[in-house]
Amino acid sequence: PRRVVVGSDKVARFVVAVAQEPGLVAEFARINGEVGILIRDHDATVRYVGITHIVQGRIQTISLIASPDKLTQINRVSR
């Protein structure tokens, strides 16, 4: 199910909560030409990908991908 988080405070809290899950490490990466975030677990498997869309220097949207099926390809090329 798709969950939409709206508002800078709510988005910031959501991103911090995801990034602070025990055993996860976040790193910035360029994804499809946009600034993105890879969140990996202890064995370097990507668990989440966050893709930002920036407008006039501000983050307009963040698409968070958590489906293992959709992350298969990125796990193949990012190790």
Side-chain angles (χ1 to χ4, degrees):
R2 187 174 187 170
R3 178 180 172 192
V4 178
V5 180
V6 178
S8 59
D9 289 342
K10 289 180 183 177
V11 169
R13 284 195 299 267
F14 177 77
V15 170
V16 167
V18 169
Q20 289 182 342
E21 285 186 36
L24 298 182
V25 176
E27 65 184 79
F28 290 100
R30 183 138 319 260
I31 302 168
N32 295 334
E34 300 282 352
V35 175
I37 303 167
L38 299 177
I39 301 175
R40 299 176 185 272
D41 65 13
H42 60 87
D43 67 354
T45 300
V46 176
R47 295 296 176 193
Y48 305 101
V49 172
I51 302 170
T52 62
H53 178 67
I54 299 173
V55 176
Q56 296 180 346
R58 297 184 70 163
I59 296 173
Q60 184 71 33
T61 58
I62 300 174
S63 299
L64 186 66
I65 301 164
S67 168
D69 293 337
K70 292 182 179 181
L71 296 174
T72 300
Q73 179 65 24
I74 200 161
N75 276 311
R76 277 191 218 130
V77 297
S78 71
R79 288 186 183 223

